[in-house]
Amino acid sequence: MHKRAIFAGVGAIVLAALVVIPIVLAPGTPAAALPPAEPIAADEQAAIIAAMRPTRHTDRPVIAIIAWNQATELSDFFSAYGVLKRADIAEVTVVAERVDPVQLYPGPKIAPEATIAAFDAQHPQGADYVVVPAMDPGTDRVIADWLVAQHQKGAKIISICNGSRMLAFAGLLDGRRATGHWSAVAELRQKHPTMTFVPDRRYVVDDGVATSTGITANIPIMLALVEAIGGRPAAERTAGELGVANWDARHRSAGFELTLEHKKTFIRNALTFWRRETVGIPLAEGVDEVALGLLVDAYARTNLASVVTLGAGGAPVVSRHGLTILPDRPAESAGVDHLLSPPPTEAPAQTLENELPVVAERYDLPTAKIVALVMEYPWAGVGR
C-alpha cells in the first residue's frame, strides 16, 4: 500500500509536469528594449559626492564592511571589499557578530577580520563609514542596533542592494529618500511609509545614509565613495583598473520589472530539474574579489546551476587584497559537471558583461535575461 501511494504521488507529479511544462516552455513575448539611462547632471552628481565626503578622518577614514555570519550576499560583499581595497584610500575592516566564518550566498565562506565587540574596542569613536551588503531577511537585531549606534557616532551608512532591508529594519530609512533592489521596493514602501522612494537613481544619499539598487550598483556606489574620499583622480584610476566607464547615479528603473516572460523562465527552470548541473569555479591565491563575486552570481542566479568554489586540497585561499576565503570543496573532489575558467584578473568589473552571452549559449537567452534582471544589470543583450 505504501509503494502504491508513492507511485501514485510520482504519477501525479509527472502528470502535472506534462501539463505545466509545455506552457512554461512556450516562448514568451520579449520585452521591448529600453534606451540606456541618461547621465546624471553634473551639479546633482557633485552634490551626491559632496554628501558622501568624510567629516572626521579626512586623510585615511575607517570603513567597516559589516557581514552577517549566517548569510551575506556574495557579490555585494566581494565588490565592496574589492573596490575599496584596490583604491587604498581608507582603512577597511570586515566586521561580523562572531569570529566564526561568514557564509556568503551563493558561495563560499570567508573569515571576518574583527568582531563587532573588537571593532568597537579599537574604534570607540566609531567608523567613518559602514558598508552594509544584503543579509536577507535583514532582521538581525544585533547588527541593526550596531548600525544605529555607529550612525549616532557620526558614521555614514551605505547599503548595497537588499542591504536596504537591514537599514529599514534599523529605522534608518524612516523619513529619508532612498532606493533599493527592484524586488524589495514595494515591501520597503509598505513597511516604511515615511521613506520616499527615488526612481531612476542607482544610488541615493540622504542625511548620512546611502542606499543603492541591485547587485551591480555596488561597484558604482563604491567608486562614488572612493571619489568622495580620495578625489576624482583616485576614482578614475580605480575605475580604469576595474574596467568601469562611469559610476554616476544613472539608472532606468523601468528596465527592471518582472514580466510574464521572466515568470515563465523562473518556473521552467525550476521544473526542468534534469537540466540542473554543478558548476565549479577554481580558486587560487590572489583571486580577484570583484570577478569572483560576479562570476559565481552569474551562474547561481540561473536557477539551473549549483555553484561550488574549488581550492587545492580544500585549503583556505587568500584573495588579491588579503581576504581569507574558505572554498566549498577540494579541487580534487568529484561531482562537478562543468568547470569554469578561473575568475579574470583584468577588468574584473566586466565579468558579468562577458559572461552573460556564455550563460545564454550554455542554457538559453531567457535564462541570461533572468540573471541580468535579478542582478539589476542593464545588459544590452536583454533586447536580443
Side-chain angles (χ1 to χ4, degrees):
M1 191 70 177
H2 179 62
K3 287 184 179 179
R4 278 189 212 151
I6 293 174
F7 286 133
V10 173
I13 293 172
V14 172
L15 180 60
L18 290 174
V19 173
V20 174
I21 288 175
I23 296 174
V24 299
L25 290 181
T29 303
L34 294 173
E38 295 291 331
I40 301 301
D43 57 345
E44 179 184 348
Q45 185 64 27
I48 293 173
I49 298 300
M52 297 178 73
R53 288 201 178 101
T55 54
R56 292 187 295 178
H57 304 100
T58 56
D59 291 335
R60 194 80 178 170
V62 174
I63 301 178
I65 303 178
I66 184 66
W68 188 39
N69 290 91
Q70 287 89 324
T72 299
E73 210 287 327
L74 177 101
S75 282
D76 290 357
F77 174 82
F78 272 147
S79 289
Y81 182 88
V83 172
L84 293 174
K85 291 291 283 188
R86 180 187 287 266
D88 194 25
I89 42 76
E91 297 301 324
V92 180
T93 304
V94 177
V95 181
E97 290 181 57
R98 306 187 307 274
V99 296
D100 307 320
V102 172
Q103 177 64 66
L104 302 178
Y105 68 89
K109 296 179 180 179
I110 59 99
E113 297 170 332
T115 63
I116 285 176
F119 183 87
D120 287 348
Q122 186 177 2
H123 302 283
Q125 294 182 339
D128 293 283
Y129 300 91
V130 178
V131 177
V132 187
M135 312 172 203
D136 290 340
T139 54
D140 184 84
R141 177 49 62 188
V142 173
I143 290 180
D145 290 346
W146 186 70
L147 292 177
V148 171
Q150 287 292 313
H151 187 255
Q152 290 173 344
K153 291 178 180 180
K156 289 178 168 56
I157 312 297
I158 302 175
S159 74
I160 295 173
C161 190
N162 276 339
S164 60
R165 283 179 167 150
M166 182 63 79
L167 267 60
F169 180 69
L172 291 172
L173 298 189
D174 295 339
R176 284 187 170 88
R177 299 164 62 253
T179 187
H181 189 275
W182 63 265
S183 66
V185 168
E187 172 195 332
L188 290 174
R189 298 177 76 175
Q190 179 182 9
K191 292 182 178 180
H192 305 275
T194 64
M195 181 201 85
T196 301
F197 169 64
V198 181
D200 294 330
R201 293 295 181 270
R202 59 184 172 189
Y203 49 85
V204 175
V205 184
D206 188 350
D207 191 24
V209 174
T211 50
S212 60
T213 59
I215 293 171
T216 49
N218 53 19
I219 296 175
I221 194 172
M222 288 299 102
L223 284 170
L225 180 55
V226 170
E227 182 178 354
I229 297 172
R232 184 76 183 187
E236 289 177 343
R237 171 185 58 79
T238 308
E241 294 175 3
L242 292 167
V244 175
N246 71 77
W247 59 91
D248 66 14
R250 71 183 69 180
H251 189 63
R252 190 175 296 281
S253 300
F256 303 97
E257 297 176 348
L258 191 62
T259 66
L260 177 60
E261 180 187 9
H262 293 135
K263 293 176 183 177
K264 288 166 67 173
T265 303
F266 271 122
I267 297 171
R268 180 203 62 183
N269 288 2
L271 286 175
T272 54
F273 53 87
W274 55 88
R275 298 177 67 202
R276 292 193 62 83
E277 62 178 356
T278 299
V279 172
I281 298 179
L283 299 184
E285 295 292 310
V287 61
D288 185 272
E289 302 90 359
V290 174
L292 174 60
L294 293 174
L295 188 61
V296 171
D297 254 332
Y299 285 85
R301 303 295 178 173
T302 64
N303 207 22
L304 290 172
S306 297
V307 181
V308 294
T309 52
L310 309 170
V317 171
V318 178
S319 71
R320 177 170 187 157
H321 297 103
L323 190 68
T324 300
I325 303 174
L326 312 176
D328 296 298
R329 297 184 188 177
E332 302 79 9
S333 64
V336 173
D337 301 306
H338 179 55
L339 183 65
L340 298 180
S341 298
T345 57
E346 300 298 323
Q350 290 297 311
T351 300
L352 187 58
E353 180 70 27
N354 296 334
E355 207 64 31
L356 280 171
V358 181
V359 170
E361 182 177 355
R362 183 163 188 84
Y363 303 112
D364 48 54
L365 181 58
T367 296
K369 291 180 180 180
I370 284 290
V371 174
L373 174 69
V374 172
M375 299 186 73
E376 202 156 352
Y377 182 71
W379 184 42
V382 77
R384 293 175 187 172

